[in-house]
């Protein structure tokens, strides 16, 4: 009998057993996802739907993938960053039947080859983190678009990109902005990025953060999380910004605020979290103290200008995993670049903890389900970027609270009436 065509490409399928243990660890800390899996594994509402996913292959993503499959979906997956795939998790997914094309250390050509493979089964739903999948479909697989009911987008950068596409009239199918769910950004972006970024830095350097001048570029939800948590570890935190209100908020949280030109001279650790390119450039590298550590936690690797660092180096060597020591030609000082400037939390650690991804991915799951349920009624969202329904945030938060054994109050009838009674004054 002809050998069944392998529907995956991973580093080494023999890593599956180790990966399965990682996934079981994540399952034990993602009670909302496991409750959704329990609820939908019988009715299988996603049966007949084909979901192409492009999202970091971590133990938490594996819980999302296997929950979508348990709810009946056919799923084909690629990673959304060349350095963020956990090879053991990818092997465990493949061994249990998931069509997955992902391995740590992909080159750019392999990265896009993997995305292409997830289109082979002609998906009718897409799930993205950074919009590389949607962008590939819009640019190179237009014929697939009429059958695509819609997509979901995980992250700030991706939603920003898709809103720009929609404004330019280029977006050809509806997308739900999972990132903009409160139970995503106000937990994942703040607490998740805060902790996982420091986790990546500590795994790649093992340095003491207490007493160090930690410079965080960007005080959005992610930068706030990083700066606030670094402060908690005793760092002298410095924030650089371009948005006055964000900079002002940073000062009120006790962070120093200055320009990158000023910070470059005093910083010990630099973390970019802006979503903008060229935040740290040649002139900053030239000013940095000997031993400065530089990394990025934004989605793309454009925030640190690496070509300029390469141009001014005398030499470089990998001194530790995910840690390259550059010697600056002009002054002989050492600058340490982590994870090749790619998102340090996922490239040098395991990304956000399971507890926050539990809610982010509940939003992903419920948004995919919403697109499928609409399709079953012959309906489809209009072609734009959509927020999640307001009640979905409260539903997910309430479920999370229950799994944490917290109970909260409910408004009485009189209180509800009072809230709606605009005539009630002092
Ligand atoms: N552990 C993780 N698994 C993880 N940590 C952060 N992210 C993860 N995805 C899967 C994503 C966040 O939701 C990276 C995205 O850029 C961010 O929005």
């Amino acid at each position: 009998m002809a050998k069944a065509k392998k529907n995956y490409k991973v580093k080494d399928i023999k890593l599956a057993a180790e990966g399965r243990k990682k996934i079981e660890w994540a399952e034990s800390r993602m009670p909302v996802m496991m409750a959704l899996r329990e609820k939908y594994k019988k009715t299988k509402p996603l049966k007949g739907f084909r979901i192409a996913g492009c999202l970091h292959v971590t133990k938490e993503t594996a819980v999302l993938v296997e929950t979508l499959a348990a709810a009946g979906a056919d799923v084909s997956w690629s990673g959304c960053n060349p350095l963020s795939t956990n090879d053991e998790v990818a092997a465990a997914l493949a061994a249990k039947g998931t069509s997955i094309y992902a391995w740590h250390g992909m080159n750019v050509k392999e990265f896009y080859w993997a995305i292409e493979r997830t289109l082979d089964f002609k998906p009718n739903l897409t799930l993205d983190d950074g919009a590389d999948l949607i962008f590939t479909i819009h640019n190179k697989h237009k014929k697939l678009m009429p059958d695509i009911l819609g997509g979901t987008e995980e992250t700030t950068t991706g939603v920003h990109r898709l809103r720009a596409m929609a404004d330019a009239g280029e977006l050809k199918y509806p997308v739900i902005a999972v990132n903009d769910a409160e139970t995503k950004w106000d937990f994942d972006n703040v607490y998740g990025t805060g902790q996982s970024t420091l986790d990546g830095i500590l795994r790649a350097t093992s340095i003491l953060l207490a007493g160090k001048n930690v410079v965080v570029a960007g005080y959005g939800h992610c930068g706030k999380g990083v700066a606030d948590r670094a402060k908690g570890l005793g760092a002298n935190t410095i924030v650089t910004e371009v948005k006055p209100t964000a900079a002002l908020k940073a000062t009120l949280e006790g962070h120093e605020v200055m320009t990158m030109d000023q910070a470059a001279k005093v910083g010990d650790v630099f973390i970019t979290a802006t979503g903008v390119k060229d935040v740290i450039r040649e002139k900053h590298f030239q000013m940095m103290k000997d031993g400065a550590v530089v990394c990025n936690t934004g989605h793309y690797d454009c925030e640190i200008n690496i070509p300029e660092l390469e141009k001014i180096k005398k030499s470089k060597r990998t001194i530790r995993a995910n840690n390259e020591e550059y010697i600056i030609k002009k002054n002989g000082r050492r600058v340490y670049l982590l994870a090749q400037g790619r998102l340090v939390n996922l490239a040098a650690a395991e990304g956000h903890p399971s507890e926050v991804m539990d809610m982010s991915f509940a939003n992903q799951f419920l948004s995919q389900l919403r697109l499928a349920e609409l399709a079953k009624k012959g309906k489809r969202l209009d072609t734009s970027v959509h927020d999640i329904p307001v009640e979905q945030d409260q539903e997910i938060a309430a479920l999370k609270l229950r799994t944490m054994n917290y109970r909260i109050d409910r408004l009485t009838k009189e209180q509800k009436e009072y809230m709606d009674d605009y005539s009630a004054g002092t």
Side-chain angles (χ1 to χ4, degrees), residues 55-56 58 60-61 129 154-155 184 188 350 352 357 361:
L55 199 152
H56 305 287
T58 66
E60 290 77 19
T61 300
D129 178 322
E154 175 77 7
T155 205
K184 195 273 174 180
D188 171 313
E350 299 173 46
H352 303 351
M357 295 315 300
F361 288 163

Side-chain angles (χ1 to χ4, degrees), residues 1 37 45 93 97 117 123 140 143 169 186 206 208 220 243 266 307 329 333 338 351 363 384 400 412:
M1 183 168 83
R37 185 183 297 185
L93 283 169
R117 291 297 62 69
K140 293 172 63 187
K143 58 186 183 318
D186 211 359
S206 171
L208 177 71
K243 189 178 172 189
V266 299
K329 197 178 341 192
R333 291 185 203 144
L338 307 188
N363 280 294
S384 65
K400 188 71 173 178
T412 64

